[in-house]
């Protein structure tokens, strides 16, 4: 990728925002890029970043999710400068239903002229609806990953990384992950030493340890589940330590196993077995975080049978062991 020095001009960074945006989605990347200007050597002064807040609507004043107004310099209708990097900030999912189709047209027309295009948090939904993520591996806030996958089945949604680059398009996870992405873009342009200086200046790790999925539940929030899926979750939540079969689940709703499996996959986006596995993982995480129960006892109470099975599942989803997860939550050995 062409770096900042070779291009020989100011880099215009666009943070595209919508109503109900989370402030950190915008402020985090903004502070990374503007802080980088402080550490550029004098002979590179003409290669600085210029950050622009651009409204995805016709209004220049956008009210954030916390109610604080953000004044944009321009809207998507009057940008009059070349864009180097464009990042779509996240917003409340309900706001997405109110997005003017002009925004998707703008992004589709822009993809060929920007050097880098990406998203922060739920901004991935905007890029997906614009058709710019088709066939790509992407990430978003762990809370919305299942919804993104069900809505756009052509995507490969992976909530473990804090950010992902796939064929020139970048997506990042929940809220603060926009900072991780911005630091990575900075490293691409100027190398690790300068990116490291910026991270230290902002009192951050250049490469954050762990994975995003450590911070969330494997199963979507209860209110985001379909009524059918909620019913199965309610049925299973007090039985996770027992042996549970798909036949048992199907019989509970008076359906054949085949029909139940088909309907459950359609309603939840995962198979019944995978859903059960994720419920057990979430319960184990809660017990590790909020109780002093031994890992062996937690494995038994969550239906894993033994610690080996529990460990395998933690490495599968979180890339760490149950003991490491407990330590990260409690800050103890």
């Amino acid at each position: 990728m062409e770096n900042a020095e070779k291009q020989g001009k100011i880099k215009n960074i666009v943070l595209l925002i919508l109503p109900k945006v989370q402030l950190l989605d915008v402020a985090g990347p903004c502070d990374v890029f503007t802080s980088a200007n402080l550490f550029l050597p004098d002979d590179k002064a003409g290669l600085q970043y210029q950050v622009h807040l651009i409204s995805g609507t016709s209004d220049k004043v956008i009210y954030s999710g916390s109610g604080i107004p953000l004044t944009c310099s321009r809207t998507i209708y009057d940008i009059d400068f070349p864009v180097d990097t464009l990042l779509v900030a996240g917003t409340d999912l309900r706001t997405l239903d109110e997005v003017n189709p002009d925004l998707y047209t703008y992004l589709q027309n822009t993809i060929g002229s920007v050097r880098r295009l990406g998203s922060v948090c739920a901004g991935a939904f905007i890029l997906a609806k614009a058709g710019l993520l088709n066939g790509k591996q992407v990430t978003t806030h762990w809370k919305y990953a299942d919804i993104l996958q069900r809505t756009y089945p052509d995507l490969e949604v992976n909530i473990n990384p804090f950010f992902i680059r796939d064929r020139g398009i970048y997506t990042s996870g929940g809220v603060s992950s926009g900072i991780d992405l911005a630091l990575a873009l900075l490293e691409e342009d100027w190398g690790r030493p300068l990116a490291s200086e910026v991270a230290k200046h902002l009192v951050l790790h250049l490469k954050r340890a762990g994975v995003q999925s450590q911070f969330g539940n494997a199963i979507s929030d209860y209110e985001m589940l379909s009524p059918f899926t909620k019913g199965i979750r309610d049925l299973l939540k007090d039985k996770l330590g027992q042996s549970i079969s798909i036949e048992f689940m199907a019989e509970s709703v008076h359906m054949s196993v085949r029909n139940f499996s088909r309907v459950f996959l359609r309603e939840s986006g995962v198979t019944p077995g995978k859903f059960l596995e994720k419920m057990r993982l979430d319960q184990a995480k809660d017990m590790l975080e909020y109780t002093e129960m031994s890992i062996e006892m937690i494995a038994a109470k969550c239906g894993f049978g033994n610690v080996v099975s529990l460990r395998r599942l933690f490495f599968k989803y979180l890339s760490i062991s149950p003991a490491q997860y407990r330590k990260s939550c409690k800050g103890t050995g």
Side-chain angles (χ1 to χ4, degrees):
M1 181 177 290
E2 189 175 22
N3 64 30
E5 185 172 4
K6 288 181 179 178
Q7 227 175 343
K9 59 183 179 181
I10 287 177
K11 295 279 180 292
N12 289 309
I13 309 295
V14 163
L15 296 173
L16 195 153
I17 62 177
L18 290 165
K20 301 293 185 183
V21 66
Q22 289 195 273
L23 289 175
L24 192 56
D25 280 13
V26 179
C30 182
D31 280 346
V32 168
F33 289 116
T34 55
S35 295
N37 293 334
L38 302 175
F39 296 95
L40 290 176
D42 292 340
D43 62 338
K44 303 295 189 298
L47 307 175
Q48 293 183 328
Y49 295 107
Q50 179 67 49
V51 179
H52 306 264
L53 300 189
I54 302 297
S55 169
T57 75
S58 58
D59 299 317
K60 287 187 177 180
V61 176
I62 298 291
Y63 283 88
S64 67
S66 59
I68 296 175
L70 297 172
T71 302
C72 300
S73 60
R74 291 171 179 81
T75 74
I76 57 171
Y77 300 100
D78 58 11
I79 295 180
D80 57 359
F81 55 81
V83 178
D84 175 81
T85 301
L86 189 153
L87 299 179
V88 181
T91 183
D92 188 301
L93 291 192
R94 289 167 293 187
T95 302
L96 299 179
D97 296 331
E98 304 168 7
V99 171
N100 190 305
D102 289 351
L103 174 59
Y104 303 115
T105 301
Y106 166 75
L107 290 171
Q108 291 160 357
N109 293 337
T110 299
I111 182 67
S113 60
V114 300
R115 183 165 66 103
R116 296 183 296 211
L117 179 66
S119 63
V120 180
C121 196
F125 284 81
I126 297 290
L127 295 184
K129 190 166 183 177
L132 304 180
L133 300 183
N134 293 342
K136 292 181 172 59
Q137 183 177 124
V138 303
T139 192
T140 188
H141 194 295
W142 59 264
K143 190 175 186 178
Y144 307 133
D146 287 345
I147 299 174
L148 183 63
Q149 186 67 82
R150 289 200 305 271
T151 308
Y152 303 98
D154 185 51
L155 311 185
E156 181 185 345
V157 181
N158 181 355
I159 62 168
N160 276 336
F162 291 109
F163 65 89
I164 290 175
R165 176 191 178 190
D166 191 342
R167 286 165 283 174
I169 292 187
Y170 303 73
T171 53
S172 58
V175 195
S176 63
S177 299
I179 298 174
D180 299 284
L181 174 57
L183 285 169
L185 297 178
L186 185 60
E187 185 175 351
E188 280 187 6
D189 288 347
W190 294 105
R192 179 166 293 230
L194 190 141
S196 181
E197 283 298 314
V198 171
K200 291 175 184 177
H201 175 69
L202 297 174
V203 197
L204 298 167
H205 292 291
L206 179 59
K207 304 287 186 183
R208 197 176 354 172
V211 293
Q212 186 192 185
S213 50
Q214 290 176 230
F215 297 94
N217 296 325
I219 298 292
S220 298
D221 286 358
Y222 187 75
E223 64 270 15
M224 293 185 177
L225 301 176
S226 72
F228 183 84
T229 310
K230 285 179 181 177
I232 299 302
R233 178 192 174 280
D234 291 342
L235 171 74
L236 302 180
K237 65 181 181 180
D238 296 323
K239 299 180 174 64
L240 296 179
Q242 305 171 19
S243 176
I244 301 172
S245 65
I246 295 180
E247 287 78 9
F248 168 75
M249 297 186 217
E251 288 174 6
S252 70
V253 289
H254 311 292
M255 298 172 70
S256 68
V257 170
R258 181 177 180 181
N259 190 41
F260 172 79
S261 298
R262 178 182 61 81
V263 172
F264 192 90
L265 179 61
R266 183 189 69 210
E267 293 287 323
S268 70
V270 297
T271 65
K274 184 74 70 176
F275 188 83
L276 175 61
E277 183 178 77
K278 288 185 174 185
M279 281 191 70
R280 284 174 164 154
L281 175 64
D282 283 341
Q283 179 168 288
K285 287 171 63 180
D286 284 345
M287 288 183 170
L288 287 165
E289 187 170 353
Y290 299 113
T291 78
E292 301 301 325
M293 201 177 294
S294 70
I295 294 177
E296 291 78 8
M297 186 174 294
I298 290 173
K301 284 188 173 292
C302 294
F304 291 105
N306 56 63
V307 175
V308 173
S309 297
L310 179 63
R311 282 176 56 85
R312 284 175 181 160
L313 200 66
F314 265 72
F315 276 110
K316 175 182 177 180
Y317 285 101
L318 307 180
S319 302
I320 58 175
S321 70
Q324 288 170 323
Y325 180 81
R326 171 170 271 174
K327 183 177 181 179
S328 71
C329 294
K330 295 179 177 291
T332 57

